[in-house]
Amino acid sequence: MAQHSETDSNIEMWKMKKLIKTLSAVKGDGTSLISLVVNPRDKIPRVTKMLGEEYQNASKIKKRMNRQSVQAAITNAQSRLKLYKNVPSNGLVLFTGTGVTEDGEEKKFVHDLYGYIIIDGNGTLIGTLCGSSREVVLKFTVDLSKKHGRGGQSALRFSRLRVEKRHNYLREAAELATKCFIDPATSQPNVTGLILAGSAEFKTELNQSGMFDPRLRAKILKVLDISYGGVSGFNQAIELSSDVIANVNVLKEKRVIGKFFEEIGQDTGKFVVGVDDTVKALEMGAIHTLIVWEDLDINRYELKHSVTNGIVIKHLNKKQEADPSNFKDSAAASDLKVEGKMGLLEWLVDHYKQFGCTLEIVTDQSQEGSQFCRGFGGIGGILRYQLDNGSFGEGSSDGEAAANDSK
């Protein structure tokens, strides 16, 4: 168990080392870069309040450029902090704002947070998109009267009640949008941009209504017509807003994995799945795009044969690591000694450029990403050319089993 725990920490350690290496090469331009350290015993509301006070103090900075850069960094920190309900058990360190790399390029250290309001005649959904993570903040349904009643009351009264219900519905939606997207500490929006979407005229009415907060109206990037409401409409709105949120990771994932699925659907043969087959295709230089799940739980072992002193490479998941037979050569009745061990993803990150391919690290947050991780073991690739089955030889089934067992 201790060995397995160490394996998990090795992957996290690699991510941390990469982050530290990136941060060490970046310098803040003035006070545009913020480092926020939160003690494990601290409370998120207290930190949020403190950032609100700092935002107010920053408004006193005389130089406009400095003032704007500081306030933008604080706003980013507040948006990121909203993703945490409680401080993690080992504390929280947040780097936010805009820094300058050694190449003189600006680099942002947080994903922008985008807000979505999906509204139609059946209800409203309010959600957020940050990087590859989408979250439904709240949703509620509504029962509105149709244009024609069933009798029992005058047409004038029915029309008045219908208009009143629509008005109350829009007011509730506007109030909830303000509650979700306006930071009470700073009285400013906590999102970079806002997308309004719906299948009826409610989205336009909400946008033009005097009940809709003007601070949020100024953040609207696009108003979309969609075919669905609720969660399905939320997913469709993310897809259709790609032209204004071009840098959101989930959209890039959908395109990459969509291309992978397209190769499979057309049966072009220009794809590979499974650990061993993917690694073999990589070593042959046949992979154009290597796709790996960010939480791939497979380790790469370098094993030394106790008799021949030859090196054997194996890719094992946790279940296979617990099987002693994977560390023996049954044919020669000899042991295989562990010479080296590291996470497969870590190894791929360090070596993929040697094989002339691009590496796409994906999440399981999108529908396509989840299907890739669950159905294909979280590792595969798009090939430059078709390979015949003989190119992989034996052991392909073991690699796919390792991938499938790791889910």
Side-chain angles (χ1 to χ4, degrees), residues 152-309:
Q153 56 185 337
S154 68
L156 183 61
R157 174 178 170 79
F158 175 79
S159 176
R160 185 175 69 251
L161 291 175
R162 179 175 178 272
V163 170
E164 183 179 341
K165 283 185 177 180
R166 291 171 64 92
H167 177 83
N168 292 337
Y169 172 45
L170 289 174
R171 182 177 61 187
E172 182 178 5
E175 290 175 350
L176 289 174
T178 301
K179 181 179 179 181
C180 293
F181 297 136
I182 295 294
D183 191 333
T186 63
S187 298
Q188 295 297 320
N190 55 25
V191 291
T192 302
L194 199 59
I195 305 295
L196 269 179
S199 57
E201 70 277 8
F202 282 100
K203 59 184 179 298
T204 304
E205 291 184 18
L206 179 63
N207 185 24
Q208 297 175 351
S209 170
M211 297 177 290
F212 193 59
D213 197 308
R215 294 168 295 182
L216 294 181
R217 185 178 293 111
K219 287 289 184 177
I220 292 178
L221 301 176
K222 198 168 187 178
V223 179
L224 297 171
D225 286 311
I226 55 178
S227 305
Y228 314 100
V231 176
S232 297
F234 183 25
N235 293 333
Q236 187 182 14
I238 292 176
E239 184 77 27
L240 294 176
S241 59
S242 60
D243 57 333
V244 292
I245 313 178
N247 294 325
V248 178
N249 292 339
V250 68
L251 298 174
K252 183 179 180 182
E253 285 184 14
K254 290 168 74 72
R255 287 194 294 267
V256 171
I257 300 176
K259 174 63 176 175
F260 176 78
F261 287 158
E262 182 180 331
E263 297 290 346
I264 295 176
Q266 296 178 359
D267 196 21
T268 62
K270 294 171 62 177
F271 63 90
V272 62
V273 297
V275 179
D276 286 349
D277 284 359
T278 301
V279 172
K280 287 177 182 177
L282 183 68
E283 293 172 344
M284 294 167 61
I287 292 185
H288 177 271
T289 305
L290 178 62
I291 309 172
V292 187
W293 181 27
E294 65 175 1
D295 292 326
L296 186 70
D297 195 12
I298 295 177
N299 290 309
R300 182 181 186 274
Y301 281 86
E302 292 186 6
L303 305 173
K304 185 176 182 180
H305 200 285
S306 59
V307 177
T308 64
N309 289 329

Side-chain angles (χ1 to χ4, degrees), residues 360-380:
E360 298 289 348
I361 300 178
V362 301
T363 71
D364 58 356
Q365 297 296 313
S366 66
Q367 182 178 351
E368 291 79 3
S370 178
Q371 184 177 351
F372 175 78
C373 298
R374 294 176 181 273
F376 297 91
I379 183 169

Side-chain angles (χ1 to χ4, degrees), residues 145-149 158 162 201:
S145 303
K146 305 301 180 182
K147 289 186 177 180
H148 303 285
F158 175 79
R162 179 175 178 272
E201 70 277 8

